[in-house]
Amino acid sequence: MWMTPKRSKMEIDESRGFRAEWTQRYLVVEAPEGEGALCLVCRRLVVATGEPDVRHHYEAEHDYYERYVAEGERAALVERLRQGDLPEAAPLTPEERAARAGLGLARLLALKGCGWGEGDFVHRCMEVMLRDVLPDHVSVLDGIDLSPEITRQRVLDINQNLRSQLFNRAKDFKAYSLALDDQAFVAYENYLLVFVRGVGHDLEVQEELLTIINLTHHFSVGALMAAILEALQTAGLSLQRMVGLTTTHTLRMIGENSGLVSYMREKAVSPNCWNVIHYSGFLHLELLSSYDVDVNQIVNAISEWIVLIKTRGVRRPEFQALLTESESEHGERVNGRCLNNWLRKGKTLKLIFSLRKEIKTFLVSIGATTVHFTDNEWLCDFGFLVDIMDHLRELSELLRVSKVFAAAAFDHICAFEVKLNLLQRHIEEKNLTHFAALSQVVDELKGHLQEDEKILDPDRYRVVICRLQKEFERHFKDLKFIKKDLELFANPFSFKPEYAPISVRVELTKLQANTNLWNEYRTKDLGQFYAGLSAESYPIIKGVACKVASLFDSSKICEKAFSYLTRNQHTLSQPLTDEHLHALFRIATTEIEPHWDDLVRRRNESNP
């Protein structure tokens, strides 16, 4: 689809080699000999052929010079550096060092999900430690203010700094995709987390939180659509550059006529836009079966067991592994929705299944009902659910590996669909080789039932697997629509030109005949290979690579946000504004490092 230039061809600048605009932006000049860029500040050679390396060197070593922001100031600074006149970075004053320490502690408190008042406790701990270890340095804490009001404001300042950096990078995105996750549940309100994955000049991938939308205040799909478009406009991202859309599989997202995806696709239809690829179920894959298979009764029963164990069986040694797993996921306090989502994970169900006999003994000891343990059909359903969720867990773990690109993720999904066909045939034949838990239940029941009694109904579970197969086909059908593009991206040297659209055959033939490029393909990963590919010589292939690289290839960032939510739901359920929630989730999920000196300078400017 993308190999055929139906729409306006994507413009991609030559990304390798030195570019003139780097001089003012990153204070470097082209190296006199060899590849790379020569830093005008430290006179070190940045041995790289791509912008990310040059930018990383500048941000890590010379962020101080960001204070020269005006065009005239920047040009004058470059001229001074060329002549060897190096403006000295003023050392931080004691007040500025204290402010920077306070910012770092505020960020750490946010990462750990601590309340605003925890800063005072941290301050007292440091004071006690210094008084005993370094009594002469206790006074350094006087300038570090960790009061709730100051900590709250510092978290907002860090969020604003990270947000500005994201928006600056978004200007260089050649293509981007969105991930919409509406499974976040804080206190009694639902939130939509909007993540963006963008690709720059040399295929450097950036995944970040774009915005958070309160679904209580944006109940209608139209209001949601308006909020997302506003966030895109604020970030400087046009719909013309949007390539993909991955969502959960709720009706709000994928409703046939009234879902958000339908609205987004209608909005993105214009002669200058690309066909937006949509795939759902990629996020929270363990919930895919939960919505389409009737498992609520089983999960609800297990939820009641967990509540009883956490309240009346917390000291029992046989449950310590389960309790540790529970607390590592969502802390000591948990609401029902997060508990149900946790129980739907294959690893958790497998652990509970292995403890079923101990749980039965515990329930009998406290006088709770054990009716489910006498229901043979329920026990078989439990075993089958454990097996299916475990298979989904294996796929989900493969899809959590980031930076492998969507082509590899698509291969995993196709392999799982083949696996489902195998599971269907096995269940029809009553072959339980790949159903370990169900096999255990059947073996146990055989010892208690008459020979003529029916234990296993294969048709019951065959229907479930068939339904899951159809759901996979429905949720990932758009990826099959770009199958050729994914194959070309993953294997450009083995892709037969006669199977490619006419528009790309010349480029593909020329590429496959280039021995140097073949050697690079064998020795580099895909991202590095395509980053070095000339956009002038291979514009269509480079365009396909840029679009494929912008598709979400894992659920890692969404899992990171959801894990932060479940671990810290007690803190997040306290009275917080949407702005503070946005700041906490951004700090918890970002890979961008705050510009600390810039934050300190802004603080001084606001408090002269």
Side-chain angles (χ1 to χ4, degrees), residues 102-131:
L103 287 163
L105 287 171
R107 181 199 187 195
L108 184 60
L109 289 170
L111 284 171
K112 294 300 181 182
C114 300
W116 307 127
E118 299 289 338
D120 286 334
F121 176 70
V122 172
H123 192 282
R124 290 197 298 271
C125 290
M126 291 191 298
E127 188 176 1
V128 170
M129 180 188 67
L130 286 178
R131 188 173 289 118

Side-chain angles (χ1 to χ4, degrees), residues 18 34 43 61 105 181 195 223-224 234 236 287 296 299 354 368 394 434 444 503 519 540 543 554 581 583 598 603:
F18 186 85
R43 298 296 171 177
E61 303 290 339
L105 287 171
D181 186 354
F195 301 96
L224 266 182
T234 304
L287 300 181
N296 287 331
V299 172
S354 68
E394 292 175 358
H434 298 291
E444 291 172 2
S503 59
N519 291 330
I540 298 179
S554 78
L581 277 176
D598 185 52
R603 172 187 173 276

Side-chain angles (χ1 to χ4, degrees), residues 235-478:
L237 294 170
S238 65
L239 288 176
Q240 283 76 15
R241 287 183 281 163
M242 186 166 74
V243 171
L245 192 62
T246 180
T247 68
T248 56
H249 44 278
T250 59
L251 288 176
R252 181 192 289 113
M253 293 290 113
I254 62 172
E256 187 172 350
N257 297 317
S258 58
L260 184 60
V261 173
S262 300
Y263 278 72
M264 291 288 289
R265 280 182 155 171
E266 288 179 7
K267 194 71 177 178
V269 171
S270 78
N272 296 321
C273 293
W274 299 320
N275 293 321
V276 176
I277 299 301
H278 169 251
Y279 43 105
S280 57
F282 195 73
L283 311 179
H284 305 291
L285 190 66
E286 70 278 358
L287 300 181
L288 183 62
S289 178
S290 302
Y291 285 108
D292 300 301
V293 181
D294 186 16
V295 299
N296 287 331
Q297 185 181 6
I298 297 173
V299 172
N300 290 338
I302 298 175
S303 298
E304 294 175 3
W305 299 349
I306 297 299
V307 171
L308 289 172
I309 291 173
K310 290 174 75 71
T311 54
R312 302 180 65 178
V314 69
R315 296 186 182 278
R316 292 184 175 244
E318 62 268 29
F319 298 139
Q320 293 309 303
L322 179 62
L323 292 171
T324 302
E325 172 74 15
S326 171
E327 291 182 9
S328 68
E329 286 287 332
H330 47 56
E332 296 181 359
R333 300 182 60 175
V334 57
N335 61 44
R337 175 168 175 176
C338 287
L339 177 61
N340 284 346
N341 288 350
W342 173 64
L343 289 175
R344 283 177 166 88
K345 294 185 177 181
K347 180 181 177 182
T348 305
L349 277 177
K350 200 172 183 178
L351 178 58
I352 294 172
F353 181 81
S354 68
L355 293 170
R356 63 192 183 283
K357 294 180 181 178
E358 290 83 353
I359 292 174
K360 180 181 179 181
T361 303
F362 165 70
L363 294 176
V364 171
S365 68
I366 63 173
T369 179
T370 58
V371 63
H372 296 299
F373 291 94
T374 60
D375 186 339
N376 297 335
E377 186 176 275
W378 189 93
L379 288 173
C380 287
D381 288 349
F382 184 22
F384 176 77
L385 179 63
V386 170
D387 292 324
I388 285 295
M389 288 302 184
D390 194 47
H391 291 309
L392 283 171
R393 176 193 59 80
E394 292 175 358
L395 174 60
S396 183
E397 289 181 355
L398 290 173
L399 296 179
R400 286 196 186 104
V401 180
S402 61
K403 306 296 175 64
V404 296
F405 301 113
F410 179 67
D411 289 341
H412 293 319
I413 291 168
C414 291
F416 188 78
E417 290 180 335
V418 174
K419 185 177 183 178
L420 286 177
N421 290 329
L422 176 65
L423 294 177
Q424 181 185 348
R425 290 197 303 271
H426 280 193
I427 203 69
E428 288 174 349
E429 300 166 357
K430 294 187 179 182
N431 180 350
L432 302 183
T433 303
H434 298 291
F435 297 91
L438 180 57
S439 178
Q440 289 183 43
V441 172
V442 171
D443 291 341
E444 291 172 2
L445 292 178
K446 283 180 179 179
H448 300 89
L449 300 179
Q450 301 294 330
E451 292 185 1
D452 57 346
E453 287 190 64
K454 186 175 182 180
I455 299 176
L456 180 65
D457 181 8
D459 289 338
R460 176 182 178 84
Y461 303 121
R462 181 186 59 79
V463 171
V464 172
I465 296 175
C466 286
R467 195 181 307 165
L468 192 56
Q469 286 176 308
K470 291 179 181 178
E471 290 304 316
F472 263 80
E473 291 176 2
R474 182 166 67 96
H475 291 308
F476 299 107
K477 64 180 180 181
D478 271 16

Side-chain angles (χ1 to χ4, degrees), residues 77-243:
L77 172 64
V78 170
E79 190 58 33
R80 288 179 61 185
L81 291 174
R82 285 181 185 273
Q83 296 173 5
D85 182 10
L86 183 66
E88 293 185 3
L92 294 177
T93 64
E95 292 78 12
E96 289 176 333
R97 287 200 298 269
R100 180 160 179 167
L103 287 163
L105 287 171
R107 181 199 187 195
L108 184 60
L109 289 170
L111 284 171
K112 294 300 181 182
C114 300
W116 307 127
E118 299 289 338
D120 286 334
F121 176 70
V122 172
H123 192 282
R124 290 197 298 271
C125 290
M126 291 191 298
E127 188 176 1
V128 170
M129 180 188 67
L130 286 178
R131 188 173 289 118
D132 291 335
V133 180
L134 297 170
D136 296 336
H137 294 77
V138 176
S139 59
V140 301
L141 296 177
D142 295 340
I144 302 177
D145 190 349
L146 294 178
S147 63
E149 295 77 14
I150 296 298
T151 302
R152 185 184 298 114
Q153 184 57 48
R154 282 173 175 161
V155 168
L156 292 178
D157 291 341
I158 294 172
N159 172 63
Q160 184 60 39
N161 184 274
L162 295 172
R163 187 169 177 260
S164 299
Q165 290 189 64
L166 171 62
F167 289 176
N168 287 334
R169 297 184 185 187
K171 295 176 184 176
D172 296 328
F173 287 169
K174 293 301 180 181
Y176 72 91
S177 295
L178 296 180
L180 310 179
D181 186 354
D182 60 347
Q183 295 296 320
F185 185 76
V186 180
Y188 299 99
E189 295 183 311
N190 277 53
Y191 286 84
L192 175 67
L193 306 183
V194 182
F195 301 96
V196 62
R197 177 185 170 103
V199 175
H201 292 287
D202 43 11
L203 272 82
E204 184 191 15
V205 176
Q206 189 86 39
E207 283 188 13
E208 292 291 333
L209 176 69
L210 180 63
T211 189
I212 292 180
I213 302 172
N214 191 324
L215 295 177
T216 306
H217 303 153
H218 300 81
F219 184 76
S220 68
V221 174
L224 266 182
M225 180 70 184
I228 293 173
L229 291 178
E230 181 182 356
L232 290 174
Q233 184 178 9
T234 304
L237 294 170
S238 65
L239 288 176
Q240 283 76 15
R241 287 183 281 163
M242 186 166 74
V243 171

